[in-house]
Amino acid sequence: MRPASPWTRALLAAGVLLLVVLRVPFLAQQPFEVDVGNFMLAVADFDVAQHRPHPPGYFLYVMIVRMLAAVTGDAHAALVWFAAAAGALAAVPTWLLARQFLDRQGALWAVALCLFNPASWFYSCVGLASITELLWTPWVLWFLVAGARGERRSLVWGSLLLGLAGGFRQNLLVFLAPCWFFAVWHCPGSWRHRGAATALLLGGVSCWFVPTMIDTGGLAAYRAANAFLADSMAQSCVFLSPVAGEVAANLVRFASSAVVALGLAGLLGLGLAVLRWRRLPWQRDGASLLAVAVAAPLLFFVAVYFHKKAYVLVLLAPASIMAVAGLRTLRRPVWAPAVLLLTLAVHQLVFFTLPPVGQVAARGDGFLVPHENLPAVPRLGRHLLMLDLATLRDQDRRTACVRAAVDAALVLHPDLVLVVPEGELITARVADALWPRTAVWTFAGGDDGEVARLLHGDTVMLPRGELQRTLAAVPSLWVLEANPELAGRLQQLGAARLEAAVPMLLRPPGP
């Protein structure tokens, strides 16, 4: 592994700085979704059993954000600034990895395809741990490729980095484990080096796994907190006894995400790379490892589970490199840059010009039609529109309206409780992160079953009658953007609409 020249290092540093500057104007001003709320709560008190953050837990990610929050004074600001930095820094390992297989021009195309697509843009602007996959995947692969080519020291350091990367996103361990085994097997070294690589991998894992177990309350509590993940995957896993609708939804989510994130150049280039593997213009030593890095998550997403578009970030770097190599097998040399330029132009149009996702479900009175109630075509439209700047800005606007209204109501009613039914844009977890000293209640549809009360980051399940007694004693503010039927019933009971921009109802105490 040859070190980069001083000129290359200077250009990479300037590129990273430019990428950060480009992202700053588009950073989310408000918590975007439930997982952001979970991370905000975790910055104050890490406990996976209480979904601070949500399982499987992201200990090293949370600890770094906690240090940044000590500087910014705000957990959400620390989250989005870290996202911008991680998205920009991904340019360095993506370039280094690409240069193992492509010339300078090809590596530049791969970096552009990887970083200037709607998924990379979007998740560099919101405070989610998913963006770290864009950073750590090419870093780990860069070391492992060198290890597979015989550089034993690179294999050892890559093993440590893979173990530590699991503290940011545990799925990196799962998806990159086949690459690690490939590199260990092909590295022409002694068992001593393989043993050192294994020991450092386990040491890196222990750096976050042990404190996660301690803060969660032990292995039993950790396994209980993760039980819902196994149940969710079982419903769409084609190898278990899946629910047909869940399998179809899983495939739609993955297909729409792949189309938006990879675009024409990515999909066409990958197809050509597979069909013309022996004609690819790169060094073949280590290229199989790159293919494994794409195939492992691809198989999992198609056959087991794909929940949100951020998951596609784990394969963007290796897929972009393979796509550029595949496009270079086209007969005319001008075709590859033409397809890449067209794809990059479409990517920018998608992110900067598409309408907000809420527009598809808007009713015209401020309420939104719940996603599950939309017809098939509008629902597919929402899948395709979820990664654009307008969606981010629309969520910022809605959340800002809710925050202003709640803050004003709390001044008049200090004993106010917030009620956020499930399925709303501002979730109960986000509300708990924004108003940690105010009780937040949430429940699913129907009149039976338990409800949840969130306070100071802790969630307690209670009988529904407990919520009814609370509402009879203190005023409540209901956030009901996606539940107009419940809003209508509350208005019949005397609740007043508090905010025109986002449907919220202030209900006085009563039966």
Side-chain angles (χ1 to χ4, degrees), residues 225-304:
N226 281 273
F228 81 97
L229 288 175
D231 294 340
S232 298
M233 285 188 281
Q235 292 180 9
S236 61
C237 179
V238 297
F239 306 114
L240 294 177
S241 295
V243 179
E246 290 293 331
V247 174
N250 189 65
L251 292 176
V252 168
R253 285 192 293 264
F254 173 72
S256 64
S257 301
V259 168
V260 173
L262 293 173
L264 173 64
L267 297 175
L268 175 61
L270 280 175
L272 290 172
V274 173
L275 294 174
R276 303 175 178 180
W277 182 257
R278 295 185 180 276
R279 295 166 55 186
L280 295 181
W282 59 18
Q283 301 178 57
R284 290 183 175 81
D285 189 14
S288 297
L289 188 146
L290 207 62
V292 172
V294 174
L298 185 65
L299 176 63
F300 181 86
F301 293 151
V302 171
V304 181

Side-chain angles (χ1 to χ4, degrees), residues 495-510:
R497 184 155 173 169
L498 187 65
E499 172 61 56
V502 177
M504 286 180 288
L505 297 168
L506 184 64
R507 182 173 182 270

Side-chain angles (χ1 to χ4, degrees), residues 64-204:
I64 287 182
V65 173
R66 181 177 291 179
M67 289 188 290
L68 288 176
V71 176
T72 64
D74 178 76
H76 182 255
L79 286 164
V80 296
W81 275 101
F82 181 80
L89 286 168
V92 176
T94 303
W95 164 267
L96 295 173
L97 179 64
R99 284 292 286 130
Q100 300 301 307
F101 304 101
L102 302 167
D103 58 21
R104 289 180 179 273
Q105 186 182 52
L108 282 173
W109 281 119
V111 171
L113 192 62
C114 180
L115 299 187
F116 288 94
N117 62 79
S120 298
W121 268 117
F122 189 87
Y123 289 107
S124 294
C125 300
V126 297
L128 293 170
S130 311
I131 191 62
T132 61
E133 296 179 3
L134 199 66
L135 174 64
W136 296 129
T137 297
W139 266 130
V140 172
L141 291 177
W142 182 56
F143 280 107
L144 293 184
V145 165
R149 292 176 176 175
E151 297 186 18
R152 302 169 184 174
R153 184 176 299 180
S154 295
L155 176 64
V156 171
W157 287 114
S159 301
L160 176 61
L161 185 61
L162 175 57
L164 293 173
F168 292 81
R169 290 281 290 177
Q170 277 89 333
N171 61 328
L172 286 171
L173 282 174
V174 177
F175 295 148
L176 295 179
C179 299
W180 182 81
F181 282 110
F182 181 95
V184 169
W185 181 260
H186 285 83
C187 182
S190 64
W191 285 106
R192 180 171 62 85
H193 287 93
R194 293 187 176 96
T198 304
L200 281 179
L201 172 65
L202 296 176

